[in-house]
Amino acid sequence: METSSLLDRITINPLVCHGKPTIRNKRYMVESMLEYLSAGDSIEELLIEFPDLEREDFLACIQFATKALKTKTYHLAVA
C-alpha cells in the first residue's frame, strides 16, 4: 500500500480525542497503538484485541510516526 493512502487512515479532528491523531476518526489514538506495538504486542495480536481495525491501520500509525520524526521543526498549536 502506498504511503499516501496509508496516511489517509490517520485523522485529526478536534472533536475526537482532543484533536490527537486517531485511526479513521475512531477513538483509537495513534499514540496508544504505537505504545502497544513498542511494548511487544504484534499486529496480529492487536487485530484480535481490536477487531474493527485493519492491518493497514497499524502500518499507518508506524508511517505517521516515521514522518513526524523526520520533521525538523515542531509547531505548537495555540487554542
Side-chain angles (χ1 to χ4, degrees):
M1 187 170 243
E2 289 185 33
T3 299
S4 61
S5 58
L6 277 178
L7 291 177
D8 289 343
R9 292 173 170 267
I10 305 302
T11 53
I12 298 174
N13 179 341
L15 301 176
V16 178
C17 294
H18 306 286
K20 290 192 173 195
T22 61
I23 298 170
R24 293 185 283 130
N25 216 33
K26 298 179 182 229
R27 296 193 175 276
Y28 296 113
M29 292 189 298
V30 169
E31 176 183 349
S32 298
M33 297 301 113
L34 291 171
E35 286 176 349
Y36 283 117
L37 291 168
S38 69
D41 292 332
S42 69
I43 291 176
E44 290 73 23
E45 291 169 327
L46 294 173
L47 289 171
I48 294 167
E49 185 70 27
F50 305 105
D52 52 335
L53 296 181
E54 301 168 355
R55 178 177 183 73
E56 289 79 10
D57 294 325
F58 295 101
L59 297 177
C61 290
I62 295 167
Q63 187 65 46
F64 182 84
T66 300
K67 283 197 146 308
L69 289 171
K70 288 181 179 179
T71 303
K72 292 185 180 185
T73 58
Y74 296 90
H75 304 280
L76 296 175
V78 179

